[in-house]
């Protein structure tokens, strides 16, 4: 569904009477002296204040909630508060039907990627104090919305699985020998960044090409293929097989090096660089005189 194409109406969510009507620190500063660069506000400036978040709401299964809208919440600020902390507070204290995914709360599980103030970010890794208010929190764009901030990740997972994201080498040591299949330090260093992916989907959501081509493998899947194609322990014929998957019509050649995936990746993986390197590998494979 295209819930994010329209500008939904805003509703004031049920609030603690003391919270309701409370002005955010930015509102007050704007009154005192024009626009404030909220990115320069540090934790200490917000202590004892509330932060204003606007959260996207949509529930196709409940009558009266099928129209997308934004709910406003005023959440008491605490030092170190993240976007995830703020939506959890809103859910636990104001509206228990507010729905979103989360688990580890330390940028490991990849389940809480949201669209925050117009950018894909991990809720648990994004400090509220670094954001301009009101903080607008939406589900990842270009994904089907299931409910509120939850999107359907099936297509993303399908693309990840399409690149066969597992180590392939038939010539593995006999386990009874207790022999390790060692990797050189240099080779480990080469693939190090690509192994950091937490499958959050932020890169795919930010990619214009993926938005227009539903079959495009996407930056995360290509990065996963890079992790194995560059691993020296896989034999040459497996590497060629991987490159054949990647050079298909909806593979690496779709990338237009816009860097949007690299900009939003919460694990700082140089995705665009990896895609370009795989393009060079594909050319080398096809030009035998290289
Ligand atoms: S490559 Fe980065 S942005 Fe993309 S799924 Fe992995 S961690 Fe998330
Ligand atoms: S809750 Fe696990 S990555 Fe944010």
């Amino acid at each position: 569904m295209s819930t994010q194409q329209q500008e939904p109406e805003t509703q004031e969510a049920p609030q603690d009477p003391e919270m309701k009507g409370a002005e955010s620190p930015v509102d007050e500063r704007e009154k005192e002296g024009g626009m404030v660069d909220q990115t320069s506000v540090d934790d200490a400036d917000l202590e004892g204040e509330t932060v204003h978040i606007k959260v996207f709401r949509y529930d196709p299964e409940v009558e009266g909630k099928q129209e997308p809208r934004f709910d406003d919440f005023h959440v008491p600020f605490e030092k170190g508060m993240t976007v995830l902390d703020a939506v959890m507070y809103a859910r636990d204290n104001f509206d228990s039907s507010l729905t979103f995914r989360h688990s580890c709360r330390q940028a490991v599980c990849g389940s809480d990627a949201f669209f925050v103030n117009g950018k894909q970010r991990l809720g648990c890794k994004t400090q509220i104090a670094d954001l301009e208010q009101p903080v607008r929190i939406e589900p990842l764009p270009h994904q089907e919305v299931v409910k509120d901030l939850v999107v359907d990740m099936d297509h993303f997972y399908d693309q990840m699985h399409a690149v066969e994201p597992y180590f392939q080498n038939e010539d593995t040591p006999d386990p009874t020998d207790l022999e390790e299949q060692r990797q050189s330090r240099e080779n480990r260093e080469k693939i190090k960044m690509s192994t950091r992916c937490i499958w959050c989907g932020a890169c795919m959501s930010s990619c214009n090409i993926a938005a227009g081509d539903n079959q495009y493998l996407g930056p995360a899947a290509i990065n996963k293929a890079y992790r194995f194609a560059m691993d020296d322990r896989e034999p040459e014929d497996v590497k060629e097989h991987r490159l054949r998957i990647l050079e298909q019509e909806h593979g690496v050649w779709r990338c237009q090096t816009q860097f949007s995936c690299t900009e939003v990746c919460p694990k700082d993986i140089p995705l665009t660089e990896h895609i370009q390197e795989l393009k060079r590998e594909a050319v080398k494979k096809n030009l035998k005189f290289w």
Side-chain angles (χ1 to χ4, degrees):
M1 53 90 73
S2 56
T3 50
Q4 291 164 68
Q5 306 306 317
Q6 28 190 316
E7 180 63 27
E9 60 179 280
T10 299
Q11 285 185 9
E12 195 74 17
Q15 300 280 320
D16 179 319
E18 285 184 15
M19 299 296 164
K20 193 162 182 171
E23 284 185 304
S24 75
V26 173
D27 293 338
E28 285 177 355
R29 286 185 193 110
E30 282 180 0
K31 266 195 210 157
E32 281 168 19
M35 293 302 291
V36 173
D37 176 9
Q38 179 67 12
T39 56
S40 65
V41 174
D42 64 26
D43 274 15
D45 293 332
L46 286 172
E47 275 191 54
E49 305 278 4
T50 60
V51 286
H52 180 185
I53 59 173
K54 290 176 91 70
V55 185
F56 180 89
R57 306 301 304 275
Y58 165 73
D59 187 346
E61 290 181 358
V62 176
E63 207 169 320
K65 294 192 172 175
Q66 288 143 340
E67 276 304 307
R69 67 181 197 277
F70 281 90
D71 279 350
D72 293 275
F73 299 99
H74 297 273
V75 176
F77 178 78
E78 279 185 18
K79 190 170 166 51
M81 176 177 258
T82 63
V83 168
L84 180 62
D85 292 331
V87 288
M88 286 173 73
Y89 188 96
R91 178 198 60 193
D92 296 346
N93 294 277
F94 302 142
D95 183 349
S96 59
S97 71
L98 176 57
T99 307
F100 48 92
R101 292 192 184 102
H102 68 94
S103 180
C104 69
R105 302 176 65 180
Q106 51 186 318
V108 171
C109 73
S111 60
D112 65 333
F114 307 134
F115 194 55
V116 181
N117 282 4
K119 185 179 174 188
Q120 288 80 359
R121 311 175 203 243
L122 273 190
C124 63
K125 201 184 171 195
T126 306
Q127 292 287 311
I128 280 282
D130 291 340
L131 299 169
E132 191 172 339
Q133 289 189 46
V135 180
R136 196 176 158 106
I137 306 167
E138 300 168 73
L140 288 180
H142 308 135
Q143 322 273 15
E144 189 165 327
V145 180
V146 178
K147 184 184 173 193
D148 295 342
L149 301 176
V150 175
V151 294
D152 185 347
M153 297 289 284
D154 281 357
H155 176 63
F156 175 78
Y157 296 144
D158 286 347
Q159 303 307 76
M160 293 296 260
H161 288 293
V163 299
E164 302 177 8
Y166 41 84
F167 187 68
Q168 295 180 47
N169 185 348
E170 309 236 312
D171 191 20
T172 48
D174 180 346
T176 56
D177 288 348
L178 299 178
E179 195 186 320
E180 293 166 336
Q181 197 157 19
R182 294 202 168 184
Q183 183 177 31
S184 69
R185 277 179 192 277
E186 296 72 29
N187 191 228
R188 169 64 199 168
E189 195 57 36
K190 180 169 184 61
I191 66 164
K192 184 173 78 179
M193 292 305 286
S194 65
T195 65
R196 298 180 58 170
C197 178
I198 55 173
W199 295 49
C200 70
C203 54
M204 185 80 142
S205 164
S206 76
C207 175
N208 285 336
I209 311 303
D213 175 4
N214 202 34
Q215 293 180 64
Y216 175 43
L217 286 171
I222 296 175
N223 174 70
K224 186 56 73 180
Y226 177 98
R227 180 258 170 272
F228 293 104
M230 296 299 171
D231 190 321
D232 282 351
R233 296 168 300 174
E234 281 197 344
E236 207 49 40
D237 61 325
V238 175
K239 181 170 178 174
E240 284 194 15
H241 168 67
R242 292 195 181 282
L243 291 174
R244 271 196 298 279
I245 295 173
L246 292 169
E247 63 185 354
Q248 47 138 320
E249 189 185 348
H250 303 281
V252 287
W253 299 107
R254 283 277 172 191
C255 173
Q256 295 181 1
T257 57
Q258 294 176 357
F259 286 89
S260 52
C261 54
T262 304
E263 278 169 23
V264 301
C265 177
K267 305 305 279 186
D268 299 324
I269 302 171
L271 295 162
T272 314
E273 225 174 88
H274 288 173
I275 298 171
Q276 302 324 301
E277 201 170 336
L278 286 170
K279 285 180 183 173
R280 286 196 292 276
E281 290 298 312
V283 171
K284 278 197 240 173
K285 175 176 79 67
N286 292 320
L287 299 177
K288 297 297 181 195
F289 54 83
W290 192 276

